[in-house]
Amino acid sequence: MQISESSISGLRRELKVVIGQGELGERFATRLDEFKDQVQIRGFRKGKVPVAHLKKLYGRSVMAEVMQQAVEETSRKAIEERKERAAHQPNINLTEDKEELERVLAGQSDLAFTLSYEALPDIVVTDLAALKLERPLAEVTEEAIDKGVANLAERATRYEAEPERAAGMGDRLTIDFLGRIGGEEFAGGKGEDVQMIVGESRFIPGFVEGLMDAKAGEERIINATFPEDYPQAQLAGKDAVFTVKVKEVAKAIKPQLDDEFAKTLGAESLAKLRELVGARIAAEYMMHTRMKLKRQILDALDTAHDFALPETLVNTEFDAIWMQLQQGLERANRTIADEGKEEATLRAQYRKIAERRVRLGLLIGEIGDKAKVEVAQDELRRALIEQARRYPGQEKLVYEYYEKNPTALLELRAPIFEDKVIEHILSHAKPIDRQVTVEELLKPDDDEAFLPVGHAADHDPSHDHAHDHNHHGHDHHDHHGHDHHGHDHHTHDHQGQPPASGQESGQEHDQGPDHAPRAGQEPGKS
């Protein structure tokens, strides 16, 4: 095998590789000898077919197989000899001269091809112990526990229908409705047996007000206006007329906060329930602490390192982010122009995010490799079980999917690997604890603000790079399926639900089931 450089520019490499006719002939003879013991030909005992006869029947296909294997092996060897690692699957270009290719297949000529790829950069990791980190900690107050217990009581609220009851705040109504704009029905403007809680601020202005004091059996005509910033552009700012039939009015019956209530939730007493709620809140706070700390680590790593990035990886990452944006806008019936920014500006912003993700992905991989971080099979198995639990009744399909898709397993492996690397970094960096308020702890990171509607909250800055580039012999181009946590941000089909304002208030954790139909929710889905 002969290797020569034909082009080098930055991280880009183009090599010319020549596999000699003699080497190919040896490989061919070896493979044909193996093939002799495998093939069964009429008139010959197995393993006794003359080589010349085999060559006549199968020579071309065997040589094609030998060529493919030789190209794969020599390509890998060529990169290894240069002590480089490819950032993606290398591109291999054989000759386009059919006559030359025929001579190679006939064993009469050398096999020459070009090998092009981008090399992963050499990364010198900064001193992890020198990273300046603060661990934000918030105290679990009695007020927070009070609120948590009250939320549990809110979840346990039951409703009793009263035929003569006039709808008031907190009551649950069961309604049929039909909406029209300019006398015409519109998509999502119709629903039957829909339940809503009076007083929830999810509905478009005028809708709830029009149902106050209504009784079962009553029909009302309600005038309401969609907000100017309503997610569905074709409805934004439009005046609508709804015909609403009230089928049931039910009053809320909330449980007393006492030991008996605690026992219904599996606690020995109200005091024990408060203890459990406090522990749950503390765990939630610690989750946010870790997210903030992780973000600090990523920011610090990003700031401390500046190295060339493989353009192929950056382009792939950018394309994935841009496609996510476009899909979100499409579901919301919006365009880039509706975002109030020029497309070139948005592309530049997202390009920087793509570069950051790739840089951090390479850094995490490098740190993990040097620390010999491994993901054990039992850890991967637990992640698979957890994934299957997200789809009750379809667990078998989930397992089969991952069994048949090794790349999908990498998607489960990547965050585990990343978390273990973060723990490794923390063991060296030794962050300083800092007391903060709950509001400060839960406050979103500032840089989410510039991201467009329908995508900002999808971009979890603590997961803005979860790639596993260059780890333990992978192809260095496995982008682990950023689904951005599956949030659609009220950009669904708006089918069969009362008109909602399209604006989610800052909903607290554990406030109970979301009884109120929202914009963008299909019946029965949360």
Side-chain angles (χ1 to χ4, degrees), residues 99-133:
E99 292 184 2
E100 182 179 346
L101 191 58
E102 286 297 327
R103 287 195 295 273
V104 175
L105 284 169
Q108 300 170 356
S109 180
D110 297 342
L111 171 61
F113 63 93
T114 57
L115 177 68
S116 56
Y117 62 95
E118 282 187 284
L120 287 171
D122 292 326
I123 300 173
V124 179
V125 178
T126 190
D127 180 8
L128 299 178
L131 297 179
K132 303 298 183 183
L133 304 174

Side-chain angles (χ1 to χ4, degrees), residues 149-168:
V149 173
N151 287 338
L152 292 176
E154 190 70 29
R155 288 186 177 187
T157 297
R158 61 186 180 86
Y159 294 88
E160 277 189 4
E162 294 185 351
E164 298 302 321
R165 184 177 181 83

